Amino acid sequence: MPSMDVCFSPELLPLYNLTGKIAVAVDVLRATSSMVTALSHGITHIAPVSELDSCLAYRDLGYLVAAERDGIKAEGFDLGNSPFHYLEEDRTGRMLAITTTNGTQAIRLSRAADEVLVGAFLNVGAVAEYVRKAGKDVIVVCAGWKGLFNLEDTLFAGALAERLEGDFTLNHDATLAAYHLYKAAKADKLGFLSKSSHVQRLERLHILKDIEFCLQEDTYTVVPVLKGEFLVPAE
Ligand SMILES: O=C(O)[C@H](CS(=O)(=O)O)OP(=O)(O)O
Ligand SMILES: [Mg+2]
C-alpha cells in the first residue's frame, strides 16, 4: 500500500527522497488556490517563476504576469496573487506567469519528484483521486511562510490524508499530525485559522474574502501538473 508523507516547509526538502514519489505542492493562502482557480477559468497554462524579473520577462511573450511580495501586488505587474483575478475578469485563452512569496518556490523545489501536482482545498478531492489512481507514494510539500511552518498548508495535508485513509498508509508522524490537526479544524477552518499568522497578515490587507474563498473544498476538479516549466491541467 503506498504511503503519504508531509514536508512542513521547502527548507526541509533536503531531508526527503522524492524519487519515485508524487509531490503535491500546496500554498492554500493563496498561490496554489489562485493557480487552481486560474486553470479552472480559462488560463491555458502557468509558468511558476521564482524571481520578479524573470516573471516580468514573460510579458514580452504575451503572458499575463502576476507577482506578489508580502501579500500585495508587485509594482509593474498585471496581477497580484488573488484567485478573484480569474473570477472577476474573463481571462480565457491567456497564458500566465506568476511569482509569489512562498508558493512558486515550493513548486520549483519539488521537481526531483516523479510528478509535481498543485493542491489546494479547492481541488483536494480531485488530487486525492489522481494520486489514488497513480498508486505511488505521495509527499505533500507545504509552502509554509518564508521557510517556517504554517497552519493552513498543514490543514490541507490533513484533509488529503483523510481523503486517502484506507488506501494509503498514514504512518509518518508529520502525516498523523496534519491528519489530527485537520480533524480538529474541519468543522470551522476559518475559525481555527483566525489567529494564524497568515490570516492576521491578510486581514490587515483587508482581503478576508480571499481567505474564505481559498478554504472552500472541492470547488474545482482540475489537477495542475508540472510539465517542464509549465503547470497544465492533468489529462
Ligand atoms: O499572497 C499571499 O497570500 C502570500 C503572501 S504572505 O505569505 O502572506 O506574505 O503569498 P503565498 O506565496 O501565496 O503564500
Ligand atoms: Mg501562503
Side-chain angles (χ1 to χ4, degrees), residues 54-77:
S54 332
C55 188
L56 198 55
Y58 273 91
R59 179 180 275 153
D60 299 340
L61 303 174
Y63 283 69
L64 273 173
V65 290
E68 163 280 325
R69 288 294 183 265
D70 295 321
I72 52 180
K73 181 172 82 75
E75 187 68 32
F77 285 79

Side-chain angles (χ1 to χ4, degrees), residues 183-204:
K183 289 287 197 184
K186 67 188 278 191
D188 177 15
K189 295 198 293 289
L190 183 59
F192 189 89
L193 289 168
S194 59
K195 295 289 172 279
S196 73
S197 60
H198 207 134
V199 169
Q200 300 285 309
R201 265 194 308 279
L202 295 184
E203 275 181 349
R204 278 198 300 275

Side-chain angles (χ1 to χ4, degrees), residues 3 113 116 131 154 197 226 232 235:
S3 73
V116 181
V131 298
T154 304
S197 60
L226 193 63
V232 296
E235 269 104 48

Side-chain angles (χ1 to χ4, degrees), residues 94-198:
R94 296 302 306 271
M95 306 174 290
L96 176 68
I98 185 168
T99 178
T100 75
T101 302
N102 310 289
T104 44
Q105 280 71 0
I107 294 166
R108 297 184 63 81
L109 291 172
S110 300
R111 285 179 295 176
D114 277 14
E115 279 190 278
V116 181
L117 310 182
V118 158
F121 282 115
L122 294 168
N123 71 340
V124 62
V127 169
E129 202 41 47
Y130 184 103
V131 298
R132 191 178 285 112
K133 281 185 187 150
K136 286 184 180 179
D137 286 353
V138 168
I139 179 162
V140 175
V141 180
C142 298
W145 185 67
K146 294 188 180 178
L148 298 175
F149 169 94
N150 75 12
L151 278 175
E152 67 272 13
D153 296 342
T154 304
L155 286 184
F156 165 84
L160 184 63
E162 185 186 67
R163 302 296 180 99
L164 296 177
E165 192 172 18
D167 296 317
F168 281 68
T169 53
L170 308 176
N171 56 1
H172 294 282
D173 285 4
T175 308
L176 290 170
Y179 175 83
H180 291 295
L181 195 68
Y182 176 70
K183 289 287 197 184
K186 67 188 278 191
D188 177 15
K189 295 198 293 289
L190 183 59
F192 189 89
L193 289 168
S194 59
K195 295 289 172 279
S196 73
S197 60
H198 207 134

